[in-house]
């Protein structure tokens, strides 16, 4: 009799194991991000797709930006700014472990920040942290940042993906084997899929989603097919899908309108001779029918912009009509510049849907004013390497998703090759101005300067329309920073 | 083989059979899992991939149509983007299929067909581009304003003819691609069907094995129950019944075999035998103690205690029947003791007692009453014989002197005899016999004096 009970128990256990197995798989989530990240270390790339997958999931910073764009404590429990604004003291959270078991403390925090501000750092955002002069370890749980000047934006910037905390022992391998303190740990990265699973030693509350698979499907047809077949649970950038209207009708999917901080621009390489002439740049701005281009978003009419600035920011100046669509004016400007009928340009396109569709409009519009256009389709890796890193391009169409990143026009090494002493001085003034109203006035000047100079053709704000399965809740409506926060997702 | 050994052997057998069934079930689960995984992950994925490949190949026709119908470069480029995307996806799907199914010549056909098709579409793109430009020229009147340029018209007709030719070729090439891909769809479907058939057969086979194994387990369990019943429970019940009797007998306790229960039965049997033996000894000792309690150690006659208890026991019956009581005393016994010592005195008492006992009529009771004094009760039919028997005995005692060593000792006894007094009170009768004994002593000893009935005997105090 006893043996029979044992048999029953064994069979019951087996069934239980199978049930548990099934349960484990049922709270997983399949995420589509389209662009394959060049690697997985958000402190070493400007590619937003790395941040989207890794930030707040695998890596965390001292602070974090919440879904409303507000700064919240993360690995720092709280912080205090000195009266003169020249130092900030951070009290660190205790009991935080990296995924490899190493302890997060003041030393690893100091290491991360020193690595961030180091002049030789590969961190593409390290200029944002230039105010940090020194990092001092007070004790195991406390550090102090000594600043060269007051920087009111620093707590916000420390919540960006570029400023996540890493450990000296693993930092060197984070590109391929990321080790952070977040609720999810890296499992594997094969071809076009990235696998994360919940980290048992996480200091915070255990998240409801136990595992996530990120897909990077560059091919538009394949991506849409994946959505049509229901293989994808969430895709944060659904607005420019060809099958948008059909998907919007489906009861198993929900499309949510939101806003992002992404300015879509036709970026011009100022090192390419014709673009040294402001008349050519302005001709391009007049030639492009931005309103018509919005047809690439079947369910959304995002705001047009006239400079590199988000309408959500209080310092925003509406310059959208600075260069109205006017082919005659464009031709005249080209004529003036002496390039009418002789200008041939290559537009290098990253594989995003909005860029490819937008590229068709740009090409037609430019051809309509006599510019010969060749479209060059690049993979995301090619774009990052050829356009962004080597600056080997003439025009490209891309979205800049980092919030408040107008400072990129003050950078000599940026891929625009735009060098303006006036703008640099203006940006320095912005950075050193503590008074908010005054700073906003300076920001308005900066916007006008970029618009007047027609540095790039500023198109529109990229809409944030995430498409997700009806039962999947907790996704961010807006996208104040590029991040797909798994911790807040749950199945209903 | 001991009970423990047999139990261990049986348990081990049961465990083995049970584990065997579990292992078999687990192995079956494992195999099904791997087959189902293979079905789901490889074959179904293969089928899905092949179906997508077929779908994309067929969609190439739609993309070609889109290209053909492009009236401007926007739509032409859009069509070419789509064609590029399809080509890229077809390549990846084909690679995935090769990875899943292993390379063979048929994949080469896909790549060749795809390459020819894409080449055809690239050519088509060039001609469509020319057509768009020519039509734009004709619309805008480039060349001679007002009149369509004849050269352009001729060229347009030539372009249209080439496009028509390319479209015909395109249709053939699309069909080639579709056929090459369809082969794999069919092949994978066939593989899946085969896997399902094999799985079905295997499930049926393992089901039979599993059922047989379960029957095996049940049989082993039944055998265990029977074994426990026969080897343990049954024997224990028999043993318990044998022990539970009022007087267990060792021979009733069966000892079968040489196992633990047999050894226990043997032990119990031994104990029962010992208990029985001890009980018999205790009973013998009781008998002896009983004898010692009721008899006089010197003469082996009943003692005074027994005599009085007997009278008490029969008090009621004595009241209803005739009886007589005699008190007998050895004459001058103190002189015998003084002259010859107590040992001789004891010998004299024993000799007198023997003679008295030898001559008592049947049904009478003789007891040593104390020292050299004896008492005798003659109830019922013995009463009339009492006087003769006593007289005869007295005469024998006095006639044959007791000899110790070479020295004769003259021994005589005096006897007082009293019949039941009216009312039957024993104590009074005994007292009366005692009084007669005194009379015999006073009258010179060595005589028997019978109590004569007196007037005051009637209704006297009891």
């Amino acid at each position: 009799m006893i043996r029979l009970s044992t048999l029953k128990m064994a069979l019951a256990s087996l069934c239980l194991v199978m049930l548990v197995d099934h349960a484990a798989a049922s709270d997983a989530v399949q995420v589509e991000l389209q662009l394959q990240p060049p690697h997985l270390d958000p402190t070493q790339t400007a590619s937003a797709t790395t941040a989207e997958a890794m930030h707040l999931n695998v890596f965390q910073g001292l602070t974090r930006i919440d879904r409303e764009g507000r700064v919240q404590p993360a690995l720092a429990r709280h912080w205090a700014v000195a009266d003169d604004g020249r130092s900030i003291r951070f009290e660190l959270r205790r009991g935080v472990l990296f995924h490899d078991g190493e302890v997060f403390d003041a030393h690893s925090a100091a290491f991360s920040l020193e690595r961030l501000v180091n002049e030789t750092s590969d961190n593409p955002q390290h200029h944002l942290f230039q105010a940090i002069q020194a990092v001092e370890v007070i004790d195991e749980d406390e550090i102090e940042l000594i600043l060269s000047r007051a920087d009111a934006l620093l707590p916000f910037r420390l919540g960006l993906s570029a400023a996540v905390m890493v450990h000296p022992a693993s930092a060197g391998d984070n590109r391929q084997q990321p080790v952070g303190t977040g609720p999810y740990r890296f499992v594997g990265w094969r071809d076009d899929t990235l696998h994360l699973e919940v980290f048992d030693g996480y200091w915070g509350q255990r998240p409801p989603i136990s595992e996530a698979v990120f897909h990077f499907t560059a091919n538009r047809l394949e991506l849409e097919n994946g959505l049509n077949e229901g293989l994808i649970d969430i895709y944060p950038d659904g607005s420019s899908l060809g099958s948008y209207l059909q998907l919007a009708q489906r009861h198993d999917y929900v499309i949510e309108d939101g806003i992002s901080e992404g300015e879509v621009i036709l970026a011009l390489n100022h090192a390419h001779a014709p673009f040294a002439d402001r008349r050519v740049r302005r001709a391009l701005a007049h030639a492009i029918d931005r309103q018509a281009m919005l047809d690439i978003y079947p369910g959304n009419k995002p705001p047009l912009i006239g400079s590199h600035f988000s309408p959500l920011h209080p310092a925003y100046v509406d310059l959208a009509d600075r260069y109205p669509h006017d082919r005659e004016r464009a031709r005249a400007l080209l004529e003036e510049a002496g390039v009418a009928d002789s200008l041939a340009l290559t537009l290098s396109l990253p594989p995003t849907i909005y860029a490819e569709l937008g590229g068709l409009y740009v090409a037609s519009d430019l051809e309509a004013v006599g510019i010969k256009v060749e479209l060059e389709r690049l993979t995301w890796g090619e774009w990052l390497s050829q356009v962004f890193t080597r600056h080997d391009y003439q025009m490209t169409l891309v979205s800049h998703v980092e919030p408040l990143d107008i400072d990129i026009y003050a950078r000599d090494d940026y891929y625009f090759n735009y060098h303006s002493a006036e703008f640099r001085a203006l940006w320095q003034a912005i950075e050193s101005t503590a008074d908010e109203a005054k700073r906003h006035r300076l920001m308005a000047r900066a916007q006008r300067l970029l618009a007047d100079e027609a540095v790039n053709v500023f198109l529109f704000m990229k809409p944030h329309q995430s498409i997700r399965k009806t039962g999947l809740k907790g996704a961010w409506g807006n996208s104040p920073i590029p991040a797909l926060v798994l911790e807040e997702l749950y199945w209903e | 083989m001991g009970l423990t050994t047999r139990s261990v052997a049986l348990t081990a057998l049961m465990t083995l059979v049970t584990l065997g069934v579990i292992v078999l079930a687990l192995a079956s689960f494992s195999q099904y899992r791997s087959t189902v995984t293979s079905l789901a992950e490889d074959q179904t994925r293969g089928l899905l991939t092949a179906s997508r490949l077929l779908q994309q190949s067929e969609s190439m026709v739609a993309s070609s149509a889109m290209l053909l119908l492009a009236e401007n470069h926007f739509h032409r480029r859009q069509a070419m983007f789509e064609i590029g995307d399809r080509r890229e996806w077809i390549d990846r799907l084909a690679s995935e299929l090769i990875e899943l199914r292993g390379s063979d010549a048929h994949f080469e056909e896909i790549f060749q067909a795809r390459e020819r098709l894409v080449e055809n579409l690239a050519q088509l793109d060039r001609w469509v581009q020319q057509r768009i430009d020519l039509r734009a020229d004709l619309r805008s009147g480039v060349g001679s304003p007002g009149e369509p340029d004849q050269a352009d018209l001729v060229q347009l007709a030539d372009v249209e003819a080439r496009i028509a030719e390319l479209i015909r070729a395109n249709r053939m090439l699309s069909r080639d691609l579709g056929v090459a891909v369809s082969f794999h769809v069919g092949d994978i479907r066939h593989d899946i069907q085969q896997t399902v058939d094999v799985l079905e057969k295997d499930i049926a086979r393992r089901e039979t094995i599993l059922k047989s194994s379960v029957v095996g387990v049940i049989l082993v369990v039944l055998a265990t129950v029977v074994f426990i019943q026969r080897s343990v429970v049954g024997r224990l019940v028999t043993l318990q019944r044998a022990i539970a009797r009022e007087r267990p007998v060792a021979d009733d306790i069966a000892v079968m075999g040489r196992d633990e229960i047999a050894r226990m039965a043997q032990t119990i049997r031994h104990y029962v035998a010992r208990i029985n033996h001890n009980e018999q000894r205790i009973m013998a000792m009781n008998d002896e103690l009983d004898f010692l309690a009721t008899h006089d150690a010197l003469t082996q006659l009943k003692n005074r205690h027994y005599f009085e208890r007997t009278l008490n026991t029969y008090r009621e019956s004595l009241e209803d029947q005739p009886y007589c009581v005699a008190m007998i005393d050895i004459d001058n016994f103190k002189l015998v003791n003084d002259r010859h010592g107590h040992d001789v005195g004891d010998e004299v008492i024993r000799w007198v007692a023997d003679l008295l006992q030898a001559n008592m009529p049947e049904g009478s009771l003789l007891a040593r009453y104390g020292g050299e004094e004896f008492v005798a009760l003659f109830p019922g039919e013995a009463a009339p014989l009492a006087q003769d028997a006593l007289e005869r005995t007295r005469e024998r005692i006095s006639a044959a002197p007791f000899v110790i060593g070479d020295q004769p000792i003259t021994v005589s006894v005096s006897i007082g005899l009293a019949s039941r007094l009216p009312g039957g009170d024993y104590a009074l009768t005994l007292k009366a016999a005692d009084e007669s004994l005194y009379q015999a002593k006073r009258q010179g000893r060595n005589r028997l004096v019978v109590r004569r009935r007196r007037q005051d005997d009637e209704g006297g105090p009891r």
Side-chain angles (χ1 to χ4, degrees):
Chain A
M1 288 302 168
I2 291 166
R3 299 301 152 191
L4 272 183
S5 309
T6 314
L7 176 64
K8 280 179 194 163
M9 273 172 59
L11 289 172
S13 311
L14 192 72
C15 295
L16 201 66
V17 167
M18 291 165 82
L19 281 172
V20 168
D21 239 20
H22 180 70
S26 67
D27 64 358
V29 67
Q30 307 287 328
V31 184
E32 177 59 73
L33 289 181
Q34 197 188 12
L35 297 181
Q36 184 159 355
H39 57 75
L40 300 176
D41 186 349
T43 69
Q44 306 282 297
T45 178
S47 174
T49 191
T50 299
E52 280 183 295
M54 309 306 283
H55 189 206
L56 301 178
N57 296 330
V58 174
F59 292 106
Q60 295 176 309
L62 292 180
T63 64
R64 60 170 285 176
I65 314 301
D66 70 9
R67 59 174 68 214
E68 306 300 335
R70 294 169 304 208
V71 188
Q72 301 288 355
L75 294 181
R77 290 169 62 224
H78 51 79
W79 56 90
V81 184
D83 290 342
D84 64 356
R86 297 288 295 276
S87 68
I88 309 181
R89 193 172 275 221
F90 288 90
E91 191 184 314
L92 307 179
R93 198 174 290 280
R94 289 179 186 178
V96 176
L97 291 178
F98 282 93
H99 301 155
D100 60 357
E102 294 284 357
V103 176
F104 167 74
D105 56 16
H107 299 287
S108 41
F111 167 80
S112 304
L113 293 171
E114 280 161 1
R115 179 172 176 261
L116 170 63
V117 299
N118 192 329
E119 278 303 314
T120 59
S121 164
D122 287 334
N123 193 317
Q125 306 289 348
H126 89 273
H127 61 282
L128 295 176
F129 305 91
Q130 281 168 341
I132 302 173
Q133 206 167 39
V135 184
E136 287 182 4
V137 174
I138 307 298
D139 57 36
E140 290 297 304
D141 305 318
E142 210 168 358
I143 57 166
E144 187 168 44
L145 304 189
I146 310 299
L147 308 181
S148 57
R149 55 178 165 77
D151 186 350
L153 292 174
L154 196 57
F156 180 88
R157 287 171 172 168
L158 287 169
L160 299 177
S161 61
V164 294
M165 295 293 111
V166 296
H167 193 275
S170 51
D173 297 326
N174 277 346
R175 285 174 176 238
Q176 297 303 321
Q177 288 282 332
V179 173
T181 59
Y184 293 88
R185 67 176 194 86
F186 170 78
V187 177
W189 187 22
R190 193 176 67 89
D191 298 335
D192 50 2
T193 54
L194 166 68
H195 191 180
L196 304 183
E197 71 175 16
V198 80
F199 172 46
D200 290 331
Y202 181 50
W203 58 268
Q205 202 178 357
R206 188 182 173 86
I209 298 292
S210 65
E211 60 176 298
V213 180
F214 287 86
H215 302 264
F216 308 104
T217 313
N219 190 306
R220 181 182 62 86
L221 295 172
E222 191 179 353
L223 191 157
E224 295 206 19
N225 184 73
L227 282 164
N228 292 340
E229 289 184 7
L231 304 175
I232 300 304
D233 296 324
I234 182 165
Y235 174 50
D237 188 20
S239 33
S240 54
L241 288 168
S243 51
Y244 176 92
L245 293 173
Q246 289 77 10
L247 287 168
Q249 299 294 317
R250 275 171 59 159
H251 69 277
D252 57 336
Y253 277 120
V254 176
I255 297 179
E256 269 179 330
D257 281 339
I259 47 176
S260 79
E261 290 284 345
E263 296 92 356
V264 180
I265 59 169
L266 178 70
L268 308 177
N269 185 353
H270 288 241
H272 185 57
F275 295 141
D277 190 329
R278 188 173 68 179
R279 289 168 298 187
V280 175
R281 303 198 298 265
R282 285 181 170 178
L284 261 57
H286 280 297
I288 292 168
D289 184 356
R290 290 170 297 151
Q291 198 64 47
M293 199 187 283
L294 295 185
D295 286 349
I296 63 176
Y297 296 113
N300 203 298
K301 287 291 167 226
L304 298 178
I305 51 171
S307 188
H308 197 109
F309 214 78
S310 165
L312 299 173
H313 197 279
Y316 174 72
V317 182
D318 186 359
L319 299 164
D321 295 328
R322 176 69 179 78
Y323 300 103
H325 176 53
D326 185 343
R327 284 179 178 154
E328 289 310 314
R329 180 88 187 106
R331 280 197 199 95
L333 283 165
L334 291 173
E335 198 83 40
E336 278 177 41
V339 292
D341 298 327
S342 67
L343 190 57
L345 296 171
T346 302
L347 174 56
S348 303
L349 298 172
T352 50
I353 300 172
Y354 71 86
E356 293 204 333
L357 291 176
L360 294 173
Y361 285 90
V362 170
S364 296
D365 286 342
L366 296 187
E367 282 172 344
V369 297
I371 301 171
K372 287 193 173 58
V373 178
E374 193 185 330
L375 294 182
E376 180 186 38
R377 300 176 80 190
L378 300 177
T379 65
W380 185 236
E382 286 167 348
W383 189 91
L384 284 170
S385 133
Q386 178 183 323
V387 178
F388 191 77
T389 308
R390 299 206 312 273
H391 310 176
D392 177 15
Y393 76 107
Q394 295 173 6
M395 298 187 293
T396 189
L397 202 156
V398 75
S399 158
H400 282 253
V401 292
E402 287 293 341
L404 197 63
D405 57 350
I406 195 172
D407 62 292
I408 55 180
Y409 292 87
R411 289 173 59 181
D412 278 338
D413 59 345
Y414 211 60
Y415 76 102
F416 304 147
N417 282 318
Y418 171 66
H419 310 295
S420 162
E422 188 183 353
F423 190 86
R424 270 205 300 277
L426 198 51
W427 180 249
Q428 273 181 1
I430 291 170
E431 280 197 311
S432 56
T433 302
D435 179 69
E436 195 176 42
K438 202 172 167 189
R439 198 167 66 232
H440 285 181
R441 281 198 294 278
L442 290 169
M443 282 178 174
R445 268 184 60 194
Q447 293 170 60
R448 287 198 182 89
L449 176 59
L450 295 182
D452 285 345
E453 287 293 306
V455 180
N456 291 316
V457 182
F458 303 104
L459 301 171
F460 50 84
M461 290 303 291
K462 183 166 173 286
H464 177 83
Q465 280 189 311
S466 70
I467 177 164
R468 60 169 172 81
K469 286 277 176 66
T470 311
L472 185 65
K473 308 285 185 186
W476 283 15
N478 299 329
S479 180
I481 52 167
L484 196 138
V485 187
L486 295 171
E487 191 180 12
E488 296 177 23
L489 295 179
Y490 60 94
W491 285 104
E492 196 173 72
Chain B
M1 196 189 287
L3 198 61
T4 308
T5 316
R6 274 186 286 170
S7 300
V8 167
L10 210 55
T11 308
L13 177 65
M14 197 150 62
T15 309
L16 271 177
V17 174
T18 310
L19 281 177
V21 173
I22 292 171
V23 167
L24 190 69
L26 287 175
S28 301
F29 280 133
S30 167
Q31 196 186 346
Y32 303 150
R33 179 182 275 192
S34 79
T35 311
V36 170
T37 304
S38 150
L39 264 175
E41 287 194 358
D42 297 341
Q43 293 183 302
T44 309
R45 202 171 121 217
L47 188 63
L48 270 174
T49 307
S51 301
R52 284 183 190 134
L53 192 54
L54 184 61
Q55 182 198 3
Q56 289 310 306
S57 306
E58 286 167 356
S59 297
M60 271 296 198
V61 178
S63 298
S64 307
M66 199 173 147
L67 179 62
L68 179 68
L69 296 171
E71 286 297 327
N72 53 40
H73 292 306
F74 182 97
H75 290 124
R76 179 183 62 80
R77 285 191 176 112
Q78 197 172 21
M80 284 311 287
F81 274 16
E82 194 173 286
I83 287 164
D85 284 344
R86 285 201 203 288
R87 177 201 160 152
E88 193 261 338
W89 196 14
I90 284 172
D91 277 3
R92 221 144 20 79
L93 288 170
S95 304
E96 201 177 310
L97 210 54
I98 290 171
E99 197 185 313
L100 286 170
R101 291 173 55 72
S103 60
D104 63 36
H106 296 287
F107 284 107
E108 199 48 48
E109 286 171 14
I110 291 178
F111 287 121
Q112 282 172 6
R114 187 263 295 150
E115 209 48 57
R116 286 200 300 273
L117 186 59
V118 169
E119 206 175 297
N120 166 279
L121 288 165
Q123 280 181 11
L124 191 62
D125 178 47
R126 281 194 291 277
W127 291 115
V128 169
Q129 192 174 356
Q130 274 200 31
R131 184 176 69 180
I132 292 167
D133 289 342
L134 280 169
R135 281 179 178 170
D137 287 352
L138 285 168
R139 270 200 301 274
S140 62
V142 175
S144 51
E147 285 293 311
D149 189 319
Q150 285 305 312
D152 278 355
L153 284 174
V154 171
Q155 200 182 346
L156 184 61
D158 179 50
V159 168
E160 296 281 11
R162 285 176 187 277
I163 287 174
E165 195 182 318
L166 282 169
I167 283 296
R168 274 194 295 276
N170 178 282
R171 195 176 298 158
M172 289 292 291
L173 292 168
S174 296
R175 202 165 52 202
D176 285 353
L177 184 59
V179 169
V181 172
S182 299
F183 164 78
H184 289 280
V185 176
D187 208 31
I188 292 171
R189 198 181 293 138
H190 178 253
D191 284 356
I192 288 177
Q193 190 55 51
Q194 263 194 333
T195 309
V196 170
D197 288 348
V198 169
L199 184 65
E200 254 178 37
K201 278 180 193 159
D202 201 45
I203 285 174
R205 188 172 60 85
R206 282 180 186 260
E207 210 173 54
T208 311
I209 295 175
L210 211 55
K211 278 179 188 166
S212 311
S213 307
V214 170
V215 170
V217 170
I218 293 168
L219 286 177
V220 172
V221 169
L222 283 176
T224 308
V225 171
V226 170
F227 163 73
I228 291 171
Q229 179 60 34
R230 287 187 56 181
S231 303
V232 181
V233 180
R235 289 164 69 194
L236 287 177
V237 168
T238 310
L239 192 59
Q240 187 268 336
R241 280 182 190 148
I243 298 168
R245 284 179 196 153
E246 198 179 339
R247 298 191 67 81
V249 179
D251 289 343
D252 289 349
I253 298 167
V255 178
M256 291 177 292
R258 285 187 296 173
D259 59 18
E260 289 80 349
I261 292 180
R263 286 202 287 276
M264 183 176 74
Q266 182 66 53
T267 306
I268 292 171
R269 186 177 173 155
H270 177 66
Y271 271 106
V272 168
R274 272 177 63 186
I275 287 165
N276 286 349
H277 174 69
N278 286 341
E279 197 180 43
Q280 281 171 3
R281 273 182 61 199
I282 288 164
M283 283 170 73
M285 283 164 76
N286 277 345
D287 287 349
E288 197 177 327
L289 286 172
D290 195 41
F291 181 81
L292 288 173
T294 56
H295 289 73
D296 173 46
L298 182 66
T299 61
Q300 302 293 303
L301 295 179
K302 297 284 196 280
N303 59 20
R304 182 175 175 171
H305 170 72
Y306 178 84
F307 186 82
E308 287 176 350
R309 203 179 67 191
T310 306
L311 287 183
N312 264 329
T313 306
Y314 297 107
R315 181 190 295 272
E316 285 183 8
S317 60
L318 285 176
E319 285 175 2
D320 299 329
Q321 65 173 337
Y323 66 88
C324 55
V325 175
M327 291 296 289
I328 304 137
D329 188 74
I330 300 171
D331 297 330
N332 300 315
F333 185 69
K334 192 172 177 300
L335 290 175
V336 176
N337 266 347
D338 291 346
R339 283 179 196 161
H340 304 287
H342 285 286
D343 289 343
V344 173
D346 286 349
E347 285 296 323
V348 169
I349 290 171
R350 201 157 35 228
W351 179 68
V352 170
D354 288 345
L355 286 174
L356 283 170
Q357 183 66 36
N359 291 292
M360 290 295 280
E362 199 173 338
S364 59
L365 174 64
L366 175 69
R368 187 180 173 196
Y369 205 62
E372 69 277 20
E373 197 173 23
F374 300 91
V375 65
L377 174 71
F378 302 92
E381 291 172 0
L385 305 172
Q387 189 171 350
D388 284 349
L390 290 169
E391 191 59 41
R392 202 165 49 244
T393 307
R394 185 194 61 77
E395 282 171 0
R396 279 196 63 186
I397 291 167
S398 58
F402 175 73
V403 179
I404 184 93
D406 54 355
Q407 198 177 354
I409 299 169
T410 305
V411 178
S412 65
V413 293
S414 299
I415 301 168
L417 179 66
S419 297
R420 174 179 177 270
L421 290 179
D425 185 83
Y426 154 72
L428 288 175
T429 308
L430 189 63
K431 194 180 170 191
D434 202 37
E435 285 169 4
S436 298
L437 176 62
Y438 271 98
Q439 275 185 10
K441 292 281 185 187
R442 274 200 303 271
Q443 285 170 13
R445 298 185 176 90
N446 193 20
R447 70 195 66 229
L448 182 148
V449 175
V450 178
R451 166 75 154 74
R452 300 293 167 210
R453 186 66 68 90
R454 293 201 299 256
Q455 209 165 15
D456 59 346
D457 287 342
E458 290 290 342
R462 296 186 176 176

